[in-house]
Amino acid sequence: MNDIFSIELLREEIFTVLLLGLWSFVLAMTITPIYTWAAYRYKWWKKPRQQALTGEKATIFGKLHNSKHLRNIPTMAGLIMLVAITVTTLIFNLSREQTYLPLAATVGAGMVGLLDDLINLRGLGKGIAGLNSKLKFVLIFSVATAGALYFYYKLGFDGIHVPFITERLSILTIGWLLIPLFVLVVVMTANAVNISDGLDGLAGGLLVNAFAAYVIIAFLQGNYGIAGFCMTVVGALLAYVWFNIFPARFFMGDVGSFALGTALGVVAMLTNTLLLLPVIGFVFVIEGGSSLLQVLSKRLFGRKLFEVAPIHHHFEAKGWPETKVTMRFWVIGQVAGVAGIVLALVGGHI
């Protein structure tokens, strides 16, 4: 009898998680025409980057994406996902203790990204076309710090899981040091996703893979609320990717990349899979790392490591079509997601 009850309960949880993703997808699809009307009516055109991260003119980038500069493409489509995720989570995901933090962090980072996008639209940025990079960092850092304090003091986390230790749940207790670690993870993940959002469909598809992996990991852990939240994100992302694949109808903007990058980092901390995040988000690591290495190489040695950074533009400069780069990166992301799930199973995270 208990086995039957457990199976029925499991089926109910699976149904709920899948339904959250479906509802989020439908809601995002419903909102999209409203956004599209507003975006074209009020000309929310994304302004192209004119300067490289190290200050010089972004000539190679301009040549690679000259065709996009000739047509107006709206930005801030991340608002669609932000609304769909927020509404779905607040109304249908009743696991408040597991969803308050990721939802609040997602919305907070999304507001920072929205401010950046609005400055881009008004043409107030200089060269990079957006919010001052230092101020942007301070704002994202503030959101991450608020989340870290809640994570440590309210939720009571004080350690990280170390995989491949004999004991099933081997936690390395680090106490208050978890606060700066949380901040570091969230800030780095948010920026890595933001950097990756440079080709039609690229960041959206990679985020689908990453959050889908966390749906499975969280569910197998029994964290059904987190699994439901991740599935909600997947649903909203699939609606976005439908319109963002080449040639893109619109871009998610910083409101989307910062929100979802932050959410990914928070989910990794909540599922205590910090050490698996670089595996599941492998492409994001490579993207962010390539930009960092490019800047360091220019400043320390006066030369570039890549034709242009981040690395997806390097492959474009080498002659790969944009769609080829995107789909191959998607494949790498899918393999990385599966590898992360396997490591979670054998490493004692589940």
Side-chain angles (χ1 to χ4, degrees):
M1 183 65 70
N2 289 334
D3 290 341
I4 295 176
F5 178 76
S6 298
I7 293 174
E8 289 300 322
L9 183 61
L10 185 61
R11 287 178 178 174
E12 182 179 336
E13 295 294 350
I14 293 174
F15 175 78
T16 300
V17 169
L18 293 177
L19 193 61
L20 286 169
L22 180 60
W23 170 255
S24 180
F25 174 81
V26 172
L27 182 57
M29 279 292 195
T30 303
I31 297 171
T32 296
I34 301 172
Y35 159 83
T36 304
W37 174 84
Y40 281 90
R41 172 67 175 80
Y42 297 104
K43 300 179 180 180
W44 295 347
W45 316 135
K46 179 176 177 61
K47 292 180 174 57
R49 187 177 73 186
Q50 298 175 355
Q51 288 183 1
L53 293 174
T54 47
E56 71 274 15
K57 188 174 181 180
T59 53
I60 298 179
F61 175 84
K63 291 178 181 179
L64 291 174
H65 293 268
N66 183 56
S67 61
K68 292 185 181 180
H69 298 170
L70 298 178
R71 66 186 180 97
N72 293 318
I73 307 176
T75 187
M76 296 198 302
L79 283 170
I80 299 170
M81 294 182 283
L82 199 59
V83 171
I85 292 167
T86 301
V87 171
T88 301
T89 301
L90 289 178
I91 296 178
F92 298 107
N93 194 335
L94 303 180
S95 302
R96 304 302 189 198
E97 71 283 355
Q98 294 189 2
T99 57
Y100 270 142
L101 177 56
L103 181 61
T106 301
V107 173
M111 292 303 99
V112 175
L114 179 61
L115 177 61
D116 190 32
D117 288 333
L118 290 174
I119 291 175
N120 179 287
L121 294 179
R122 291 179 175 272
L124 300 178
K126 296 180 180 180
I128 300 297
L131 192 65
N132 177 275
S133 58
K134 293 181 180 178
L135 178 57
K136 191 190 305 184
F137 173 80
V138 169
L139 293 175
I140 290 294
F141 182 87
S142 300
V143 172
T145 300
L149 293 173
Y150 186 90
F151 183 73
Y152 179 70
Y153 288 107
K154 182 67 175 179
L155 299 183
F157 285 84
D158 62 355
I160 59 173
H161 176 70
V162 180
F164 306 112
I165 303 298
T166 304
E167 293 80 3
R168 178 175 174 79
L169 293 176
S170 298
I171 304 298
L172 175 63
T173 302
I174 59 176
W176 65 268
L177 290 175
L178 196 61
I179 296 175
L181 180 61
F182 184 103
V183 173
L184 178 65
V185 170
V186 170
V187 170
M188 289 182 65
T189 307
N191 279 281
V193 172
N194 180 254
I195 289 170
S196 302
D197 186 28
L199 298 180
D200 294 358
L202 178 58
L206 292 173
L207 285 166
V208 169
N209 297 332
F211 277 103
Y214 272 111
V215 169
I216 297 173
I217 290 172
F219 193 90
L220 293 177
Q221 288 178 338
N223 292 319
Y224 302 126
I226 299 174
F229 176 82
C230 292
M231 195 67 207
T232 300
V233 175
V234 170
L237 275 165
L238 287 173
Y240 166 76
V241 173
W242 178 268
F243 297 101
N244 184 242
I245 56 174
F246 184 88
R249 179 182 295 186
F250 44 60
F251 301 132
M252 71 169 69
D254 284 0
V255 63
S257 60
F258 276 132
L260 298 177
T262 296
L264 184 61
V266 171
V267 165
M269 296 301 291
L270 284 172
T271 54
N272 219 335
T273 55
L274 167 61
L275 299 180
L276 294 184
L277 180 59
V279 177
I280 295 172
F282 177 73
V283 178
F284 295 128
V285 173
I286 297 301
E287 290 277 66
S290 66
S291 292
L292 177 61
L293 290 173
Q294 184 85 321
V295 171
L296 291 176
S297 180
K298 284 184 180 180
R299 291 180 177 173
L300 296 177
F301 307 109
R303 60 186 181 85
K304 299 188 298 183
L305 285 177
F306 307 99
E307 292 289 332
V308 60
I311 199 169
H312 58 255
H313 291 316
H314 171 79
F315 285 113
E316 274 192 294
K318 289 295 185 181
W320 288 24
E322 180 175 347
T323 50
K324 185 175 185 178
V325 177
T326 297
M327 288 187 280
R328 283 191 168 173
F329 276 37
W330 280 358
V331 171
I332 296 172
Q334 290 162 359
V335 173
V338 173
I341 296 170
V342 171
L343 290 174
L345 287 168
V346 301
H349 291 86
I350 297 170

